Amino acid sequence: MPESVCKWYLICPIKYYTDKGLLDSTWVNNYCLVANSKCVRYQMENNGQIHPDNMLPDGSIDKTLKV
Ligand code: SF4
């Protein structure tokens, strides 16, 4: 996988939701595929902080997504 891709991409729920067509690919393009360290999920993962699957990279919760 290219270095520009987030190290958690393959196991991240955001990829799963996007692949299933449940989430706009803008999220993946703006965060995951460019390893955007501003991703709140990324930061919380780095800090060992628990976060729900339906939390988007900007830290907001999308209640339409099942956890
Ligand atoms: S949502 Fe965040 S943690 Fe998940 S793959 Fe994308 S950039 Fe990485």
Side-chain angles (χ1 to χ4, degrees):
M1 210 160 46
E3 279 184 29
S4 58
V5 176
C6 176
K7 61 183 174 181
W8 286 301
Y9 180 58
L10 293 179
I11 59 166
C12 188
I14 298 306
K15 176 187 186 309
Y16 172 83
Y17 293 136
T18 306
D19 287 350
K20 291 279 182 185
L22 300 171
L23 193 62
D24 195 283
S25 59
T26 306
W27 292 107
V28 164
N29 292 335
N30 290 342
Y31 286 90
C32 316
L33 298 183
V34 292
N36 188 342
S37 61
K38 288 182 182 167
C39 175
V40 177
R41 299 191 59 89
Y42 176 90
Q43 293 169 1
M44 292 185 78
E45 194 71 38
N46 259 359
N47 294 329
Q49 296 170 295
I50 294 173
H51 46 286
D53 284 354
N54 62 351
M55 192 181 82
L56 300 177
D58 69 354
S60 64
I61 301 292
D62 185 338
K63 290 183 177 172
T64 68
L65 300 171
K66 289 183 181 173
V67 290

